[in-house]
Amino acid sequence: MMEGRTTNRFNMQYDNIVFNAIYLSLQQEIKGITANAIIINNMKASTNNQTIPINLPTAGLIVIKDNKLLLAFSKNKKAWYLPGGKVDAGETSIQSLQREIREELNIELKTELLTFYCHIKAAAYGEPDNVIMTQDCFLYELHEQIEASNEIEAVAYFSYKNYLQEAAVVGGVVEVFENLTRDCILQ
């Protein structure tokens, strides 16, 4: 019978040791979490004075006719852009471009006729300064009739010189014009 008490006492002492170890471990974790929260809050506070760049992935359509570039006038931004738009989560640039062109110009782009031309990066027009538009641009020989939809007020072909005379000049469009001129695609 004495042996049983010793075992029980031993078990109780063992249980207390385990309990204390778990308790101390949890306290350390809580302190760690608290310390991490303080670090994160300090990081947030230190970045409040700085703007963190935000990438806005997009896809743009390059159509050239008579040495001019096709642009679409956005009702929301009141500026001329390459037809196309934002890449949604889970989409490729080509899928995004096909969806956007269907919505904007009522055209079904043929994937086999799309040719990747360039990737541009510029400040996103009409967005906060820290939003950077990145755009995969695809050449396309358009044979279909263009029909602007609700999102687009108008479509027109521009020479680089004429585009620069517009009231709103978009950096990404300028970069495309410069690339096309450099590569002798536009004169």
Side-chain angles (χ1 to χ4, degrees):
M1 198 175 257
M2 195 66 135
E3 210 171 307
R5 283 187 183 180
T6 307
T7 305
N8 285 342
R9 217 178 280 153
F10 176 78
N11 285 343
M12 287 174 59
Q13 286 175 344
Y14 178 78
D15 288 346
N16 282 338
I17 291 169
V18 170
F19 175 80
N20 286 335
I22 291 171
Y23 179 76
L24 290 173
S25 176
L26 286 173
Q27 278 188 319
Q28 292 298 90
E29 282 187 35
I30 290 168
K31 285 180 184 175
I33 291 168
T34 304
N36 288 340
I38 290 168
I39 291 167
I40 290 168
N41 284 335
N42 288 341
M43 287 171 57
K44 285 180 185 175
S46 69
T47 58
N48 282 342
N49 297 332
Q50 301 173 0
T51 54
I52 298 171
I54 298 170
N55 284 327
L56 179 65
T58 63
L61 186 68
I62 297 175
V63 175
I64 298 168
K65 181 180 176 185
D66 299 326
N67 204 37
K68 294 180 180 177
L69 179 63
L70 176 68
L71 298 175
F73 191 80
S74 167
K75 289 181 183 181
N76 297 333
K77 302 280 182 159
K78 300 297 181 199
W80 292 93
Y81 290 90
L82 287 179
K86 296 174 187 157
V87 177
D88 288 341
E91 280 184 327
T92 65
S93 293
I94 289 178
Q95 290 168 335
S96 168
L97 189 60
Q98 288 174 313
R99 175 183 49 76
E100 288 285 349
I101 297 305
R102 189 178 320 108
E103 292 170 4
E104 292 177 359
L105 305 178
N106 295 307
I107 295 173
E108 291 293 330
L109 293 178
K110 296 176 179 81
T111 306
E112 64 276 8
L113 299 179
L114 285 168
T115 304
F116 178 81
Y117 172 63
C118 67
H119 181 81
I120 61 170
K121 187 176 182 179
Y125 181 82
E127 299 291 336
D129 292 342
N130 64 321
V131 179
I132 306 299
M133 182 270 313
T134 60
Q135 188 170 63
D136 288 336
C137 301
F138 296 86
L139 288 165
Y140 190 79
E141 191 172 325
L142 187 66
H143 298 287
E144 296 85 353
Q145 183 68 31
I146 300 170
E147 187 180 314
S149 73
N150 296 336
E151 294 181 18
I152 301 301
E153 193 169 309
V155 291
Y157 286 90
F158 286 83
S159 69
Y160 190 17
K161 182 180 177 183
N162 289 343
Y163 181 71
L164 291 176
Q165 295 172 357
E166 286 296 310
V169 176
V170 176
V173 175
V174 168
E175 190 173 333
V176 169
F177 267 116
E178 289 174 355
N179 288 347
L180 292 168
T181 303
R182 178 199 66 217
D183 294 338
C184 299
I185 297 172
L186 285 179
Q187 310 302 321

